Amino acid sequence: MFSRLAELDPNPTTELEYDTPFELLVAVILSAQATDVGVNKATRRLYPVANTPQKILALGEDGLKRYISTIGLFNAKARNVIATCRILVERHGGEVPRDRAALEALPGVGRKTANVVLNTAFGEPTIAVDTHIFRVANRTGLAPGKDVRAVEDGLLKRVPPEFLQNAHHWLILHGRYVCKARRPECPVCVIRDLCRFPNKTTAES
């Protein structure tokens, strides 16, 4: 499965736009229940003005809202980003910690967000299970689970070590563009013959 996905896309990465671990952290916080496209539109306006904890704190919560108001739940996200920036400055010298517990202690950061930052910014072999990965793991039979943690644990056990670093991105992209929720593109899927999903679509359906 992963050999085929790797052949299609040898160097997968997030579709969120960022240059630093901090920019990625903020983008992932903003991406909850929002599209990467929508987040990128907002951060393209925000980051040229404020792309460090100190600069975002200088904007203040109301100032930040003006840049992210097009994103869903922007009021709560602005509060979380400001609170996170304050903690980063006070406890971590303005740097994003490379530590799961420290990341999960930040407002607006849960296990999934921490995994994205650890994997994408710091190269850790973690898997952040979002709705796409949850769907692909269950449909294909790769790592069935009733909740995201069960799927994450299953994937960490089953994904071969040489593919673990990029598995997170391959599965997200596969779920976003091929193994879609409503009508999966089974006829063009490169892992169709390996998949256990009983309700595969056909070219005619």
Side-chain angles (χ1 to χ4, degrees):
M1 180 184 291
F2 286 102
S3 293
R4 295 181 192 180
L5 294 174
E7 188 174 346
L8 281 178
D9 188 357
N11 299 296
T13 189
T14 180
E15 293 186 319
L16 292 170
E17 297 171 359
Y18 74 98
D19 289 320
T20 65
F22 176 72
E23 288 184 0
L24 177 64
L25 173 63
V26 171
V28 180
I29 293 173
L30 296 178
S31 72
Q33 299 181 49
T35 65
D36 289 358
V37 171
V39 172
N40 288 338
K41 285 180 180 177
T43 57
R44 283 175 202 154
R45 297 190 300 269
L46 172 64
Y47 289 159
V49 175
N51 65 342
T52 67
Q54 295 87 345
K55 289 179 179 178
I56 287 184
L57 284 173
L59 278 181
E61 191 173 319
D62 289 337
L64 176 59
K65 286 179 185 178
R66 287 198 287 272
Y67 290 95
I68 66 170
S69 60
T70 54
I71 300 174
L73 307 175
F74 72 92
N75 286 312
K77 290 175 181 178
R79 284 194 300 272
N80 284 334
V81 169
I82 291 293
T84 284
C85 289
R86 190 169 292 114
I87 292 172
L88 290 178
V89 170
E90 293 174 354
R91 302 181 191 172
H92 302 288
E95 300 294 325
V96 176
R98 187 173 179 166
D99 174 81
R100 176 184 299 283
L103 284 168
E104 290 186 22
L106 299 172
V109 177
R111 184 175 182 86
K112 183 180 77 172
T113 297
N115 277 339
V116 172
V117 173
L118 289 170
N119 177 275
T120 306
F122 298 125
E124 301 287 344
T126 59
I127 295 179
V129 179
D130 69 350
T131 55
H132 298 301
I133 292 184
F134 186 81
R135 180 172 64 254
V136 172
N138 276 286
R139 271 185 182 171
T140 60
L142 176 63
K146 293 184 178 180
D147 56 51
V148 293
R149 185 59 190 272
V151 168
E152 179 186 336
D153 291 344
L155 288 170
L156 290 173
K157 290 178 183 177
R158 293 181 178 90
V159 177
E162 65 268 30
F163 296 119
L164 198 52
Q165 174 62 45
N166 289 324
H168 162 85
H169 299 298
W170 281 318
L171 293 174
I172 284 179
L173 294 171
H174 188 68
R176 184 173 289 165
Y177 296 112
V178 181
C179 194
K180 301 173 185 176
R182 293 185 179 178
R183 189 181 185 278
E185 303 283 345
C186 301
V188 298
C189 177
V190 297
I191 59 172
R192 176 188 174 99
D193 59 313
L194 305 176
C195 173
R196 299 179 187 174
F197 185 47
N199 302 315
K200 292 188 178 75
T201 56
T202 64
E204 294 78 26
S205 63

